């Protein structure tokens, strides 16, 4: 059983794993590689994190275990597609995934509550674009079709509960109390770029963060019965922001603190 560590982009994965560089074989660059091929082929090509290919599985060594990592691509559609591919490929290659750690950047609705470069443990993901749209807002409960009805429990519409750090215990994961702030995040396909939209989303869902992949990753995990842990580094204020209300390079660097905080490296 394996831990899968995923991030939306190469720079985010590189920030999370500063000593990691994928062995980019010719097969991997063409989109046909596998974790096993990447591990066994000594001919690798150096590439900047911005050029690392998406939806590939690579082996990575953590403190206590061998794990897998991948780049999902940006946005909920890419993330859902990548997770389906990664989970099925890992199973086919004899290393089925038993937990997922999804880490990356996110915007905060209130920087006084969730400051720039702080780390947040997402305990609930919201998909605010599923349901019945009345021209002003979306109501998930008013729509007659849930996204998924599990064999047991409530139907999944626009919310998912995520696992805590305890889900990483089989891989040596643990975390000091209060090292990560619990929060609620929502996933969007279009980043909020107006004060009105940011205020509406925050008011409607009482969310702390906005991201572009979290719900999709968590949903793929839920459908497979796999615990999903999500950690975010705050990179910006949601909506229009002044220069001092964003620090993307700093948030990428701050990702390097996530795995040590979780006792994984």
């Amino acid at each position: 059983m394996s831990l899968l560590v995923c991030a939306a982009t190469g720079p985010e994965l590189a920030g999370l794993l500063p000593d990691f560089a994928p062995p980019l074989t010719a097969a991997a660059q063409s989109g046909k590689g596998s974790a096993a091929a990447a591990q066994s082929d000594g001919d690798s090509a150096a590439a900047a994190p911005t050029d690392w290919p998406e939806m590939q599985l690579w082996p990575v060594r953590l403190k206590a275990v061998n794990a897998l990592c991948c780049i999902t691509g940006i946005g909920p559609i890419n993330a859902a597609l990548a997770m389906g591919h990664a989970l099925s490929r890992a199973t086919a290659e004899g290393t089925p995934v038993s937990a997922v750690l999804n880490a990356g950047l996110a915007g905060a609705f209130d920087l006084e509550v969730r400051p720039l470069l702080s780390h947040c443990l997402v305990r609930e993901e919201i998909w605010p674009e599923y349901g019945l749209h009345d021209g002003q807002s979306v109501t998930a409960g008013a729509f007659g079709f849930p996204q998924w009805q599990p064999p047991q429990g409530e139907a999944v519409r626009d919310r998912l509960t995520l696992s805590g750090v305890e889900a990483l215990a089989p891989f040596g994961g643990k975390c000091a109390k209060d090292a990560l702030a619990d929060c609620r995040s929502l996933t969007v396909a279009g980043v909020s770029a107006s004060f009105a939209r940011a205020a509406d989303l925050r008011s409607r869902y009482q969310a702390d963060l906005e991201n572009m992949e979290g719900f999709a990753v968590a949903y793929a995990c839920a459908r497979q019965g796999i615990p999903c842990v999500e950690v975010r580094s705050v990179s910006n204020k949601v909506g229009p922001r002044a220069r001092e209300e964003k620090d993307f390079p700093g948030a990428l660097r701050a990702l390097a603190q996530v795995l040590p905080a979780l006792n994984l490296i």
Side-chain angles (χ1 to χ4, degrees):
M1 306 298 276
S2 300
L3 172 66
L4 175 64
V5 179
C6 64
T9 66
E12 285 169 294
L13 186 62
L16 191 66
L17 294 162
D19 297 326
F20 173 78
L24 302 182
T25 64
Q29 291 182 34
S30 67
K32 300 176 182 178
S34 68
Q39 192 172 33
S40 63
D41 193 330
D43 297 328
S44 60
T50 52
D51 296 326
W52 293 356
E54 300 168 0
M55 303 189 192
Q56 299 294 321
L57 272 183
W58 294 300
V60 61
R61 179 66 189 175
L62 301 181
K63 178 190 269 188
V65 296
N66 291 318
L68 300 170
C69 65
C70 75
I71 299 168
T72 65
I74 296 173
I77 293 178
N78 277 330
L81 180 63
M83 289 303 298
H85 175 79
L87 296 178
S88 61
R89 169 148 259 167
T91 298
E93 294 183 351
T95 55
V97 172
S98 53
V100 169
L101 172 61
N102 178 26
L105 307 188
F109 286 93
D110 188 341
L111 291 180
E112 291 188 4
V113 178
R114 310 291 180 204
L116 288 176
L117 314 190
S118 63
H119 296 113
C120 301
L121 178 66
V122 178
R123 300 312 306 266
E124 183 180 44
E125 270 290 356
I126 301 167
W127 175 238
E129 297 165 7
Y130 186 86
L132 189 65
H133 203 303
D134 63 7
Q136 294 183 324
S137 62
V138 179
T139 305
F143 192 50
F145 304 93
Q147 294 198 66
W148 174 46
Q149 176 59 65
Q152 297 180 337
E154 296 182 1
V156 174
R157 293 182 179 274
D158 63 342
R159 296 173 184 264
L160 281 169
T161 299
L162 277 72
S163 300
V165 175
E166 64 278 359
L168 303 177
F171 311 99
K174 59 183 179 180
C175 190
K177 185 178 180 181
D178 301 327
L180 300 171
D182 287 357
C183 73
R184 175 183 291 121
S185 186
L186 53 81
T187 299
V188 296
V191 173
S192 297
S194 72
F195 291 116
R197 175 172 163 82
D200 180 67
L201 287 175
R202 186 184 182 197
S203 168
R204 202 173 294 279
Y205 298 100
Q206 292 77 54
D208 302 294
L209 305 179
E210 177 185 86
N211 76 90
M212 297 184 72
E213 300 83 23
F215 187 94
V217 172
Y219 183 64
C221 291
R223 293 295 300 249
Q224 295 296 315
I226 298 171
C228 179
V229 180
E230 182 178 355
V231 179
R232 295 283 172 177
S233 174
V234 176
S235 57
N236 59 278
K237 180 181 179 182
V238 177
R241 56 255 185 179
R243 180 177 300 178
E244 65 274 13
E245 293 176 324
K246 59 184 178 182
D247 186 355
F248 292 95
L252 285 172
R253 291 192 297 270
L255 284 174
Q257 303 167 20
V258 171
L259 295 185
L262 293 172
N263 195 48
L264 293 175
I265 59 173

